[in-house]
Amino acid sequence: MGDSERKKRGRKPKVSTAIQPPDPISADTIDDDDDAEVFSVSNVEIISPVVTTPISNNNHHQQATHRGRGRPRKRSKLSPENPPPPVINGDVGPTVPVESMPRVVPAMDAVVKVFCVHTEPNFSLPWQRKRQYSSSSSGFVIGGRRVLTNAHSVEHFTQVKLKKRGSDTKYLATVLAIGTECDIALLTVNDDEFWEGVSPVEFGGLPALQDAVTVVGYPIGGDTISVTSGVVSRIEILSYVHGSTELLGLQIDAAINSGNSGGPAFNDKGICVGIAFQSLKHEDVENIGYVIPTPVITHFIRDYENSGAYTGFPYLGIEWQKMENPDLRMAMGMKPDQKGVRIRRIDPTAPEAEVLKPSDIILSFDGVDIANDGTVPFRHGERIGFSYLISQKYTGDNATVKVLRNSESMSFDIKLSTHRRLVPPHVKGRPPSYYIVAGFVFTTVSVPYLRSEYGKDYEYEAPVKILDKLMHSMPQSPDEQLVVVSQVLVADINIGYEELVNTQVLAMNGKPVKNLKSLANMVENCDDEFLKFELEYEQIVVLRTKTAKEATVEILSTHCIPSAMSEDLKP
């Protein structure tokens, strides 16, 4: 039989007249949904509380139109061992019997949803506040009828309410303490009904690398609880964005989104090992989130229990330099077996300024030797910045510091205190201070003020001299403030001064201005004919004293300003 006469095996192909299905839809051909919300930042940011808004979801549509390649899968034959899935309201139900489904972890019942109404200060018009807005975030119940969440979740709060999992009731909450540096807040609820059937979570120790973690909370995209899993990928000193501080933190690869703020992170045994609080948003990274570890949480709770209020984390008021260069170590008189860091500057307001001096070499802190790069032993195979040792202390505690001065070793007992900056990173819930005379609005500079004036990129947009003081200046006295002319409310008396904006005030009638209260006192008690304000860049403002005080009353009435000075400046 020839090849031409040989018949091919198999069935003859059938010619189908049906319409062929469309080609599979690729990711490149799917248009973006205009209603979808997009969140993108360029660096580490706090996980912002969110306002629940309807979000469109195209996943169902994509799954319905997208077809896989190849033959369709054969359906298994039905049998008593393989019964058909139940049909409930037209939808196919679960194939797993109810008795064999996994049980809910009890710790998840301790996770609550936090609803907060915020009323932020208006730094541009410091005599009033901004329009209130609402947000939602996460929290969890701990011992002592208390709830933990993030500080930025209840910042500038007017009202806070909590809702338990599976409940339809919101309970009014009381804010007990807010730790701005560690981004933790402590709440409680007076209603006994809220605590019924809720078991507090248990805290565990610091996890190890590659330990499994599960983040639980109420992120954006729904009203029910959400669970994401990952592992611990890094343990180090992190920059806390909200607190503008550096404390111990965990880096995990679990997805953390807006609304997860304040939610607990559990290990594989259901023990809490931290609080979700910020994430890294960058085009080159994915799923990098940060968790406040239990040592920081424990410090916050004990601080509140010991003092009845949050006092903060102590700070060693110095700036230091690494001693990795061998020539530098030799020039400073260090022996080959000595290691440490060099003190560059000392905060004049810190207690350390009485005993430590610039160019001292810090060899150890509380008996723990410090390496030339500023690290100390942490755990097996790990090192961490020596600021971790300081953060383990409490405000008012004593610490022993060993230094090398002129090739001689010396030890000092230092009382630790909190860090005070010339430009504070927070106003801690207080309204901004202001003083008005002749239309000149004087106020103090803080990080929230700069963010209000110049946006989130204030580090690039604000005046250079103010940024220099923000980054490098230290207060010379405990009550020193950076006073500026915020704006000028235009009137006949201040013609020619209208363009003054955010300019520092150095002196008034030849007397240095240390803070806003001293400036207000000098103006109110001035008997000279003129008020002469000396500003930066050699600018001066001169006003007739009597005319300026008379014009102030009219300007306050025109702009509906209740008082010429804030309550904290009044005698």
Side-chain angles (χ1 to χ4, degrees):
M1 188 186 305
D3 294 339
S4 60
E5 298 177 357
R6 184 181 293 124
K7 296 182 179 181
K8 295 182 179 180
R9 298 180 179 178
R11 296 181 179 179
K12 294 181 180 181
K14 295 181 180 180
V15 179
S16 175
T17 59
I19 299 176
Q20 297 296 327
D23 294 335
I25 300 176
S26 64
D28 295 334
T29 61
I30 298 177
D31 294 334
D32 294 334
D33 184 12
D34 295 337
D35 296 332
E37 297 189 48
V38 179
F39 301 90
S40 61
V41 290
S42 58
N43 210 330
V44 177
E45 63 169 12
I46 59 176
I47 312 167
S48 304
V50 295
V51 178
T52 54
T53 55
I55 299 177
S56 61
N57 191 345
N58 288 338
N59 291 336
H60 177 73
H61 171 71
Q62 293 178 12
Q63 292 175 1
T65 57
H66 183 82
R67 296 187 179 183
R69 300 179 179 177
R71 297 182 179 178
R73 295 182 179 179
K74 295 183 179 180
R75 296 183 179 180
S76 60
K77 296 182 180 180
L78 300 179
S79 64
E81 293 78 10
N82 188 18
V87 179
I88 303 174
N89 295 332
D91 295 332
V92 179
T95 59
V96 182
V98 177
E99 293 79 12
S100 63
M101 295 184 66
R103 299 183 63 183
V104 177
V105 179
M108 291 188 185
D109 292 336
V111 183
V112 299
K113 192 169 185 178
V114 181
F115 299 88
C116 183
V117 178
H118 309 259
T119 309
E120 296 182 352
N122 190 337
F123 291 92
S124 299
L125 305 174
W127 49 87
Q128 64 185 29
R129 287 182 173 265
K130 294 181 181 179
R131 182 183 180 90
Q132 67 181 19
Y133 66 94
S134 302
S135 71
S136 65
S137 54
S138 307
F140 59 98
V141 177
I142 65 172
R145 295 167 62 99
R146 296 172 297 184
V147 174
L148 283 182
T149 186
N150 281 145
H152 70 264
S153 298
V154 295
E155 187 178 28
H156 304 303
F157 70 93
T158 301
Q159 184 186 75
V160 180
K161 292 181 289 187
L162 305 179
K163 187 174 74 171
K164 297 190 297 182
R165 182 188 182 195
S167 173
D168 61 350
T169 304
K170 297 177 182 178
Y171 300 87
L172 287 175
T174 302
V175 179
L176 299 177
I178 296 180
T180 53
E181 289 86 356
C182 58
D183 201 1
I184 304 176
L186 191 64
L187 317 176
T188 189
V189 175
N190 295 327
D191 194 336
D192 294 336
E193 183 182 355
F194 175 82
W195 305 103
E196 295 178 0
V198 179
S199 300
V201 302
E202 299 179 6
F203 288 107
L206 195 65
L209 294 178
Q210 294 186 337
D211 279 1
V213 289
T214 301
V215 178
V216 184
Y218 294 87
I220 189 171
D223 295 328
T224 57
I225 202 167
S226 171
V227 180
T228 57
S229 300
V231 299
V232 177
S233 55
R234 182 176 293 170
I235 302 175
E236 63 177 354
I237 299 296
L238 296 177
S239 176
Y240 282 42
V241 176
H242 179 74
S244 298
T245 53
E246 291 186 350
L247 297 171
L248 185 67
L250 305 179
Q251 177 181 307
I252 63 175
D253 63 355
I256 298 180
N257 300 303
S258 298
N260 269 122
S261 309
F266 297 108
N267 60 15
D268 54 1
K269 298 180 180 179
I271 306 299
C272 180
V273 295
I275 305 175
F277 75 116
Q278 66 187 30
S279 62
L280 179 60
K281 303 294 185 182
H282 194 275
E283 58 183 5
D284 295 333
V285 297
E286 294 181 358
N287 286 352
I288 293 185
Y290 298 101
V291 172
I292 304 172
T294 48
V296 178
I297 301 173
T298 304
H299 187 286
F300 168 81
I301 296 175
R302 289 180 179 175
D303 185 18
Y304 172 78
E305 293 175 345
N306 294 336
S307 59
Y310 173 74
T311 61
F313 285 74
Y315 170 79
L316 192 62
I318 64 169
E319 293 181 359
W320 53 272
Q321 175 186 357
K322 296 180 179 180
M323 297 293 293
E324 296 177 312
N325 186 275
D327 294 337
L328 177 60
R329 294 197 299 270
M330 184 179 298
M332 297 302 299
M334 297 178 64
K335 298 179 181 178
D337 59 338
Q338 289 180 326
K339 297 180 180 180
V341 293
R342 174 182 172 269
I343 297 177
R344 295 195 293 117
R345 294 194 304 168
I346 304 176
D347 187 349
T349 63
E352 295 83 3
E354 300 178 0
V355 292
L356 300 181
K357 296 181 179 180
S359 290
D360 282 352
I361 308 298
I362 301 181
L363 303 176
S364 66
F365 181 89
D366 261 357
V368 180
D369 294 336
I370 301 175
N372 292 325
D373 61 351
T375 61
V376 294
F378 183 51
R379 296 191 300 192
H380 178 69
E382 300 178 37
R383 299 188 68 86
I384 199 169
F386 82 95
S387 61
Y388 169 74
L389 302 177
I390 305 172
S391 66
Q392 294 296 100
K393 296 281 188 176
Y394 294 86
T395 303
D397 286 355
N398 292 325
T400 302
V401 178
K402 184 179 179 181
V403 302
L404 182 68
R405 180 183 300 170
N406 298 326
S407 301
E408 182 181 354
S409 296
M410 310 174 69
S411 294
F412 300 100
D413 288 331
I414 297 175
K415 186 176 182 179
L416 300 175
S417 63
T418 54
H419 185 202
R420 186 193 176 278
R421 301 179 184 178
L422 180 61
V423 180
H426 283 278
V427 295
K428 297 184 178 180
R430 296 187 298 266
S433 302
Y434 71 92
Y435 176 67
I436 302 175
V437 59
F440 289 83
V441 181
F442 299 97
T443 187
T444 59
V445 177
S446 62
V447 171
Y449 174 82
L450 295 177
R451 189 178 291 112
S452 173
E453 290 286 299
Y454 301 100
K456 66 178 182 179
D457 294 328
Y458 66 91
E459 294 179 341
Y460 305 96
E461 303 294 337
V464 174
K465 285 202 172 185
I466 292 181
L467 291 178
D468 178 69
K469 290 179 170 56
L470 169 66
M471 302 298 296
H472 304 292
S473 292
M474 293 181 175
Q476 300 302 310
S477 61
D479 58 349
E480 183 179 359
Q481 294 176 321
L482 185 62
V483 181
V484 296
V485 178
S486 173
Q487 60 177 315
V488 178
L489 305 176
V490 177
D492 294 343
I493 191 174
N494 52 46
I495 291 178
Y497 301 131
E498 301 93 339
E499 297 181 359
L500 288 176
V501 177
N502 292 331
T503 306
Q504 184 183 0
V505 183
L506 303 178
M508 204 287 288
N509 285 3
K511 297 180 180 179
V513 175
K514 291 184 178 181
N515 50 57
L516 187 59
K517 190 169 186 177
S518 66
L519 173 64
N521 291 335
M522 286 190 290
V523 174
E524 292 294 323
N525 299 323
C526 181
D527 296 329
D528 297 343
E529 182 179 359
F530 294 100
L531 297 173
K532 181 180 179 182
F533 300 97
E534 299 178 23
L535 312 180
E536 60 183 353
Y537 301 111
E538 308 300 329
Q539 299 181 84
I540 62 172
V541 171
V542 179
L543 302 169
R544 190 178 296 274
T545 303
K546 183 178 180 180
T547 308
K549 294 182 179 180
E550 293 174 353
T552 300
V553 178
E554 181 180 353
I555 293 173
L556 295 179
S557 177
T558 301
H559 293 271
C560 300
I561 302 175
S563 176
M565 64 178 68
S566 54
E567 292 295 329
D568 59 321
L569 301 181
K570 294 180 179 179

